[in-house]
């Protein structure tokens, strides 16, 4: 990465009265190479971005006012190589896109079944305590953007960003898909009541959110597949993220449950929140035993 391409945070500048950044960032080049060969250490990444990134994984342009303030929320568990690869690629991209941004990595304590959707709810709530973000981007750790014209920004409708993934031969698997990488404003999230909190284990939570989007009167926006391209890094399936055996029962009941299951019913405890050099790390107790006990009163098979 060419550090000279990034502004320095050493000088405190007020951007009051500065012009808005261009609607099309001037340094975009289109298709970009995914950096995945070296897997640099965190120390190397910190040195690489030391002149451009503030503590907590915060970046912003200093010569203009960013058009959107964007929080990237990454639900995470035990994928260190993927996280370092994502950070290496994402900081370069977001800086080039002249965004006022921050990266939040949200993980749960050990010995709990993984709940990706609830972690994303937590990421949204905790991120918005930090700053008045306009746009929240939910980002799987194993997906790396391949085109810098794929702007990390929100639109009038919720936006599915990972339209064309190499794993699926760069084709959309089905029309209602909303998984992988997605962008929603705070107003979108509040209206759909966020994600369901009840999808413990793998599968179903993205389709549940897609249903919520339509029930709330929105449509799914997408960039063209030639721009919204991603590379997916292969990984072993975690034993802690087994298939959710009741996901189909939950999905059938989304229309009845979406207003009561989500941000309005979110329960968790923050164990640690730390502003690290490349991202803000949030460790939480998702209160699994209490949550699953309540869920099984309605869905015994969960």
């Amino acid at each position: 990465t060419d550090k000279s391409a990034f502004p320095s945070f050493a000088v405190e500048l007020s951007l009051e009265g500065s012009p808005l950044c261009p609607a099309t960032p001037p340094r975009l080049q289109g298709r970009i190479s995914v950096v995945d060969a070296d897997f640099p250490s965190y120390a190397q990444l910190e040195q690489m971005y030391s002149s451009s990134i503030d503590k907590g994984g915060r970046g912003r342009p200093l010569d203009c006012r960013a058009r959107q303030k964007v929080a990237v929320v990454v639900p995470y568990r035990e994928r260190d190589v993927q996280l370092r690869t994502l950070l290496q690629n994402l900081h370069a991209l977001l800086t080039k896109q002249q965004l006022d941004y921050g990266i939040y990595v949200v993980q749960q304590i050990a010995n709990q079944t993984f709940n990706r959707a609830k972690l994303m709810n937590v990421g949204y709530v905790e991120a918005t305590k930090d700053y008045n973000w306009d746009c929240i981007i939910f980002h799987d750790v194993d997906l790396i953007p391949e085109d810098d014209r794929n702007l990390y920004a929100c639109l009038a409708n919720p936006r599915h960003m990972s339209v064309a993934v190499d794993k699926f031969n760069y084709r959309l698997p089905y029309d209602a898909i909303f998984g992988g990488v997605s962008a929603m404003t705070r107003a979108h999230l509040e209206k759909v009541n966020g994600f369901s909190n009840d999808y413990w284990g793998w599968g179903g939570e993205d389709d549940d959110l897609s249903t919520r989007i339509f029930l709330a009167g929105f449509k799914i926006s997408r960039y063209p597949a030639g721009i919204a391209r991603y590379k997916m890094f292969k990984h072993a399936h975690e034993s802690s993220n087994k298939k959710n055996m009741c996901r189909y029962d939950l999905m059938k009941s989304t229309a009845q449950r979406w207003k009561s299951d989500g941000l309005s019913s979110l329960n968790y405890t923050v164990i640690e929140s730390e502003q690290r050099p490349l991202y803000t790390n949030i460790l939480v107790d998702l209160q699994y035993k209490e949550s699953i006990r309540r869920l099984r009163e309605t869905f015994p098979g969960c």
Side-chain angles (χ1 to χ4, degrees):
T1 302
D2 178 9
K3 288 187 182 180
S4 66
F6 299 107
S8 173
F9 278 92
V11 179
E12 288 294 329
L13 293 176
S14 172
L15 294 179
E16 292 294 329
S18 297
L20 275 176
C21 296
T24 302
R27 295 196 296 117
L28 301 185
Q29 63 189 62
R31 200 64 53 82
I32 52 177
S33 298
V34 172
V35 181
D36 65 347
D38 297 329
F39 300 125
S41 66
Y42 286 110
Q44 290 171 317
L45 285 172
E46 290 164 22
Q47 185 177 21
M48 186 182 301
Y49 292 111
S50 61
S51 66
S52 60
I53 305 303
D54 247 356
K55 197 172 183 181
R58 295 287 300 275
R60 63 184 173 105
L62 293 183
D63 55 351
C64 60
R65 283 184 294 123
R67 288 178 173 264
Q68 289 195 19
K69 300 185 288 290
V70 178
V72 180
V73 173
V74 182
Y76 175 76
R77 172 169 281 187
E78 298 175 353
R79 295 192 193 172
D80 184 72
V81 171
Q82 283 87 352
L83 179 58
R84 282 183 278 135
T85 303
L86 178 65
L87 292 168
Q88 183 178 11
N89 286 272
L90 209 51
H91 277 302
L93 176 72
L94 298 177
T95 306
K96 189 191 297 184
Q97 292 186 354
Q98 296 183 313
L99 295 168
D100 182 352
Y101 73 90
I103 298 177
Y104 294 81
V105 175
V106 192
Q107 53 187 315
Q108 64 199 80
I109 59 174
N111 302 317
Q112 290 186 345
T113 300
F114 192 59
N115 190 325
R116 174 176 169 271
K118 194 170 183 179
L119 285 175
M120 291 190 283
N121 278 343
V122 171
Y124 164 65
V125 171
E126 292 300 312
T128 51
K129 291 178 182 177
D130 278 351
Y131 192 53
N132 186 29
W133 301 109
D134 302 314
C135 178
I136 313 297
I137 292 179
F138 300 100
H139 207 301
D140 282 358
V141 71
D142 57 359
L143 287 173
I144 310 297
E146 294 184 331
D147 196 302
D148 60 17
R149 296 170 295 174
N150 187 12
L151 298 180
Y152 273 55
C154 286
L155 303 176
N157 280 292
R159 179 177 161 221
H160 179 228
M161 295 180 63
S162 50
V163 176
V165 179
D166 62 345
K167 177 182 177 180
F168 305 116
N169 296 316
Y170 295 105
R171 295 178 180 176
L172 196 69
Y174 53 95
D175 289 341
I177 191 171
F178 201 73
V181 185
S182 57
M184 301 178 74
T185 66
R186 296 174 71 162
H188 294 153
L189 283 159
E190 295 296 332
K191 191 168 183 180
V192 304
N193 198 21
F195 292 79
S196 168
N197 297 311
D198 288 339
Y199 285 80
W200 298 93
W202 180 88
E205 71 277 2
D206 290 321
D207 289 329
D208 183 286
L209 181 63
S210 179
T211 301
R212 290 168 181 247
I213 287 169
F214 288 105
L215 290 171
F218 296 121
K219 297 179 180 179
I220 294 175
S221 297
R222 293 187 176 96
Y223 278 10
I227 292 175
R229 292 169 55 96
Y230 284 80
K231 177 180 178 63
M232 178 180 284
F233 280 95
K234 295 179 180 179
H235 54 84
H237 193 80
E238 300 98 330
S239 60
S240 60
N241 193 22
K242 296 178 181 178
K243 284 187 178 180
N244 182 346
M245 301 310 292
C246 67
R247 63 191 185 278
Y248 295 115
D249 291 333
L250 290 170
M251 288 163 60
K252 289 176 185 176
S253 67
T254 301
Q256 290 74 46
R257 303 177 71 246
W258 70 285
K259 291 185 178 181
S260 59
D261 166 30
L263 294 174
S264 62
S265 62
L266 182 60
N267 61 327
Y268 66 96
T269 302
V270 175
I271 304 301
E272 178 186 75
S273 183
E274 179 187 6
Q275 289 190 333
R276 297 180 180 178
L278 297 167
Y279 60 93
T280 296
N281 186 68
I282 302 173
L283 176 67
V284 293
D285 177 356
L286 294 184
Q287 301 181 9
Y288 171 73
K289 290 183 179 179
E290 176 188 345
S291 299
I292 202 72
R293 176 184 56 78
R294 287 203 309 265
L295 180 62
R296 285 173 177 166
E297 291 175 359
T298 307
F299 299 93
C302 290

